[in-house]
Amino acid sequence: MVNRLIHFAKPIIDDEEYDAVKAVLDSGMLAEGKVSRELEKEFSAYVGTKYATVTSNGTTALSTALDAMGINPGDEVITSPFTFIASANSIAMVGGVPIFVDIDPDTYNIDPSLIEAAITEKTKAIMPVHIFGLLSDMKHIMEIAENHDLMVIEDACQAHGAEFEGKLAGSFGHTAAFSFYATKNMMTGEGGMITTNDEEIMDRALMIKNHGRGKGGGYSHFQIGYNNRMMDIVSALGRVQLKRLPKVTKIRREYAARYNSLFAEYDQIAPQKEPEGYKSSYHVYGPRVISGDKTRDGIISKLKERNIGARTVYALPCHMQDTYLNIQQWRWAKFVAYPDYSALNLPNSELVGNTHFDIPVHPSITEEEMRHIENSIRTILS
Ligand SMILES: Cc1ncc(COP(=O)(O)O)c(C=O)c1O
């Protein structure tokens, strides 16, 4: 028995993080500046896009990018309901209308074969969410977008380092957004990043995130904007974390492979499917209970009894959250017509929501703890 709690997520904070933050504090230049420019260069080079800019968090990365892509009040944006609510909320924040399309029950990502039926005259964009670090079917989604003249924004908030055929999350769509929230594979506490190859979109995003300031800075302003900037103290953490990301991703994949071979012994559990050519970044390891007499909640409580920080993250898909059931209370509802979200029937999102459980998969887990988790799963499932 391991007596300490094995946390569901645990950020790595090493001497390098302390040194990097201290250097910024010593410089006296705390706000977004030189260090953030360095991080942006390094991040876009890593992802494989021409441009990147930091934002205060993943939500503002999404809303700023949507705004910069020209999403206006009443525009429909197709997205997945099986995600953290910020994906959908970022659409609603700019006045857009989230249109939820069901997921594939094996990959948990938006099912591309259902997207075309959801496209209307009002559709402007698709926001695939690479859930748990597994890339959505971007080949198919980009084809649909091209055929219907739609924009694509990747919600890559959980997908730093995720790959499809060697190409990284954040390099497929017209834009992408990342989160550096404290639990993410690359973290800064709070923080975010937009990536794109489109210079015009990037120029607009730079204005929107910084009070509509022009490139020269100063006190000339050209449009309404926000303060969605990120501090250099935070970017300093990001630079260290980005350097470490390949190692972190490798360990997460090794742990996930161990869980996959363990669950292969049990018919009642199915891991999230990583199709041929895909390499998940395993932000979350979340298999599903598909048969047998063990319930998802029962498994989680038995894991917790053994000091294993297990949980379920999205039991309630976005369209079933009060936020969307009560969308008429949102300020844009005075001007924008929303669908009746309560009438939506998205069975796969509900199924995955009701049956998945999530177990620790991060690099701070020791070998002893990993064995304890594996043995506990065997005991619970046998
Ligand atoms: C899929 C997804 N989208 C958006 C966000 C929002 O990011 P943040 O919490 O940094 O605002 C998150 C973060 O948890 C996320 O997981």
Side-chain angles (χ1 to χ4, degrees):
M1 187 72 165
V2 172
N3 287 323
R4 59 194 174 273
L5 173 68
I6 305 171
H7 292 278
F8 181 66
K10 194 171 176 200
I12 303 175
I13 301 165
D14 233 325
D15 287 349
E16 276 191 277
E17 272 84 357
Y18 282 94
D19 293 345
V21 169
K22 186 170 185 305
V24 177
L25 292 174
D26 288 347
S27 77
M29 310 286 276
L30 310 192
E32 186 179 313
K34 266 208 277 200
V35 182
S36 298
R37 298 294 85 80
E38 290 301 316
L39 174 62
E40 289 165 348
K41 263 194 251 161
E42 290 158 0
F43 198 81
S44 58
Y46 174 72
V47 167
T49 56
K50 284 193 197 156
Y51 311 104
T53 192
V54 291
T55 55
S56 47
N57 55 57
T59 309
T60 51
L62 285 167
S63 63
T64 303
L66 284 163
D67 202 339
M69 289 160 77
I71 303 304
N72 287 316
D75 289 346
E76 294 180 354
V77 179
I78 291 171
T79 193
S80 167
F82 186 72
T83 178
F84 182 55
I85 201 148
S87 311
N89 286 0
S90 66
I91 299 168
M93 280 171 199
V94 300
V97 179
I99 300 295
F100 298 112
V101 164
D102 209 3
I103 58 167
D104 177 319
D106 295 328
T107 64
Y108 312 172
N109 279 327
I110 193 166
D111 181 343
S113 72
L114 304 175
I115 290 178
E116 278 187 311
I119 296 174
T120 71
E121 279 178 359
K122 291 184 183 165
T123 310
K124 287 284 154 54
I126 309 172
M127 179 194 285
V129 183
H130 309 319
I131 208 69
F132 295 177
L134 178 68
L135 263 158
S136 305
D137 181 352
M138 292 308 296
K139 234 184 194 169
H140 204 154
I141 291 167
M142 294 310 290
E143 263 169 36
I144 297 168
E146 202 160 303
N147 291 340
H148 294 269
D149 200 17
L150 304 175
M151 305 286 281
V152 174
I153 173 168
E154 293 172 67
D155 181 339
C157 284
Q158 301 188 358
H160 326 65
E163 291 178 36
F164 172 64
E165 293 182 345
K167 230 178 131 181
L168 264 68
S171 67
F172 292 88
H174 299 94
T175 63
F178 291 84
S179 163
F180 302 139
Y181 180 66
T183 58
K184 296 295 194 277
N185 297 18
M186 169 184 166
M187 74 89 216
T188 61
E190 298 279 6
M193 186 79 80
I194 300 170
T195 55
T196 183
N197 286 315
D198 188 315
E199 192 178 0
E200 273 180 42
I201 291 179
M202 183 46 71
D203 283 349
R204 283 200 291 270
L206 292 174
M207 291 250 237
I208 293 160
K209 71 170 240 191
N210 193 12
H211 287 302
R213 274 197 171 105
K215 274 186 177 160
Y219 290 91
S220 296
H221 304 269
F222 300 92
Q223 65 168 83
I224 300 288
Y226 306 86
N227 175 357
N228 293 343
R229 300 182 302 255
M230 180 153 112
M231 291 198 296
D232 266 12
I233 304 175
V234 173
S235 290
L237 286 173
R239 292 188 71 196
V240 177
Q241 291 268 321
L242 177 60
K243 228 174 25 179
R244 197 183 289 126
L245 181 61
K247 197 165 129 199
V248 164
T249 309
K250 186 167 172 281
I251 297 169
R252 284 177 179 269
R253 285 182 181 144
E254 282 165 9
Y255 284 173
R258 281 171 70 165
Y259 288 144
N260 283 345
S261 50
L262 169 58
F263 287 122
E265 296 169 27
Y266 299 92
D267 289 345
Q268 64 262 49
I269 307 292
Q272 182 187 17
K273 188 175 170 192
E274 209 179 7
E276 188 72 31
Y278 289 77
K279 278 172 136 182
S280 175
S281 60
Y282 285 105
H283 172 56
V284 172
Y285 187 90
R288 281 202 312 120
V289 181
I290 54 166
S291 64
D293 57 352
K294 307 282 189 301
T295 65
R296 178 268 296 281
D297 292 343
I299 293 171
I300 291 177
S301 70
K302 291 221 167 72
L303 286 166
K304 281 186 171 160
E305 277 168 21
R306 290 168 171 75
N307 283 325
I308 298 162
R311 60 173 68 168
T312 185
V313 287
Y314 311 128
L316 207 54
C318 295
H319 65 289
M320 296 171 76
Q321 300 273 355
D322 282 345
T323 311
Y324 288 94
L325 299 176
N326 299 325
I327 191 73
Q328 296 312 327
Q329 291 170 14
W330 177 229
R331 65 172 59 143
W332 284 108
K334 288 197 195 96
F335 312 100
V336 165
Y338 292 102
D340 175 5
Y341 290 109
S342 72
L344 277 180
N345 179 26
L346 305 172
N348 292 337
S349 304
E350 284 187 54
L351 177 73
V352 176
N354 285 331
T355 54
H356 78 99
F357 63 98
D358 311 310
I359 52 179
V361 71
H362 54 84
S364 301
I365 306 169
T366 64
E367 180 55 33
E368 183 201 13
E369 290 170 340
M370 205 44 207
R371 292 221 180 110
H372 171 67
I373 301 172
E374 288 168 325
N375 291 336
S376 300
I377 291 169
R378 282 207 173 84
T379 310
I380 294 164
L381 294 181
S382 300

